[in-house]
């Protein structure tokens, strides 16, 4: 969009898709523009990410593919089973988000100053890692690399920490009375 890239959007939710197209109209590929797609970003619930990746790869075999989901290990294991896709895929996870979803809650500076985790495997080409690191920086984020398994371990700790702290605080308050 604002970074000078042309966009093509897809969403199974027609209302979200139409709103996103309205918001991003100046940056969308025109129907008369024939252009190969360089980067496919899959932003779906984790259960459907792999199927969307496979379908998009069939349509755009020369593109680079990333996801932005919060779970990596199972997805990467499935992708590693596809010899051609595994060299063109890099799992990523921007450490940014909001409690609301969809185009109606979009904000231009969502990724500014945020960490964005890249989870390459031995199959991921160094060129793709570098290109995606540059894309992440263009979005205003700082790229960090870690193995997919380590990502999931770290995220499990982070997501459980608030519950552990609140339980500990509650127990401390109860004991003090």
């Amino acid at each position: 969009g604002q970074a000078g890239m042309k966009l093509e959007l897809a969403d199974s939710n027609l209302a979200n898709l139409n709103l996103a197209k309205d918001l991003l109209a100046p940056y969308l590929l025109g129907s008369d523009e024939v252009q190969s797609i360089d980067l496919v970003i899959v932003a779906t619930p984790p259960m459907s990410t792999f199927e969307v990746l496979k379908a998009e790869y069939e349509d755009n075999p020369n593109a680079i593919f990333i996801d932005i989901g919060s779970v990596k290990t199972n997805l990467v294991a499935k992708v590693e089973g596809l010899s051609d896709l595994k060299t063109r895929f890099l799992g990523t996870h921007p450490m940014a988000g909001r409690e609301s979803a969809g185009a109606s809650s979009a904000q231009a500076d969502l990724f500014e100053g945020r960490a964005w985790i890249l989870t390459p495997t031995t199959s991921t080409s160094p060129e793709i890692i570098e290109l995606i690191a540059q894309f992440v920086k263009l979005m205003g984020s700082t790229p960090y690399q870690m193995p997919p398994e380590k990502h999931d371990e770290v995220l499990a700790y982070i997501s459980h920490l608030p519950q552990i702290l609140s339980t500990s605080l509650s127990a401390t308050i109860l004991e003090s009375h």
Side-chain angles (χ1 to χ4, degrees):
Q2 292 179 350
M5 298 177 211
K6 286 290 199 167
L7 307 172
E8 185 173 333
L9 304 173
D11 194 322
S12 59
N13 181 314
L14 196 56
N16 281 345
L17 179 61
N18 288 334
L19 178 57
K21 283 183 173 182
D22 286 346
L23 293 171
L24 296 169
Y27 310 111
L28 297 179
L29 281 173
S31 57
D32 59 337
E33 293 179 87
V34 177
Q35 189 169 339
S36 65
I37 294 176
D38 298 318
L39 175 62
V40 174
I41 303 169
V42 178
T44 64
M47 295 301 286
S48 57
T49 301
F50 181 66
E51 293 306 318
V52 171
L53 270 172
K54 280 194 331 185
E56 286 297 325
Y57 178 71
E58 288 175 16
D59 291 342
N60 305 289
N62 296 318
I64 296 169
F65 299 84
I66 67 172
D67 80 307
I68 57 170
S70 60
V71 181
K72 297 292 170 227
T73 307
N74 291 339
L75 174 63
V76 167
K78 289 178 181 177
V79 170
E80 287 291 307
L82 298 176
S83 60
D84 294 333
L85 177 58
K86 74 180 178 183
T87 62
R88 308 206 57 79
F89 172 75
L90 176 59
T92 80
H93 184 195
M95 301 303 290
R98 300 183 65 196
E99 65 284 352
S100 54
S104 61
S105 63
Q107 66 183 68
D109 63 349
L110 181 64
F111 304 116
E112 278 295 323
R114 301 299 187 117
W116 195 316
I117 301 171
L118 311 181
T119 60
T121 68
T122 56
S123 302
T124 313
S125 86
E127 294 82 16
I128 287 177
I129 297 169
E130 180 56 30
L131 281 169
I132 298 304
Q134 292 304 316
F135 170 76
V136 165
K137 290 174 186 173
L138 189 62
M139 296 295 106
S141 296
T142 303
Y144 295 94
Q145 289 187 39
M146 65 179 64
E149 303 79 16
K150 184 68 173 174
H151 166 273
D152 289 356
E153 181 182 326
V154 168
L155 265 288
Y157 284 123
I158 291 171
S159 67
H160 288 83
L161 185 60
Q163 179 62 46
I164 293 167
L165 292 174
S166 67
T167 302
S168 298
L169 180 60
S170 296
T172 303
I173 290 171
L174 289 173
E175 289 175 8
S176 69
H177 285 12

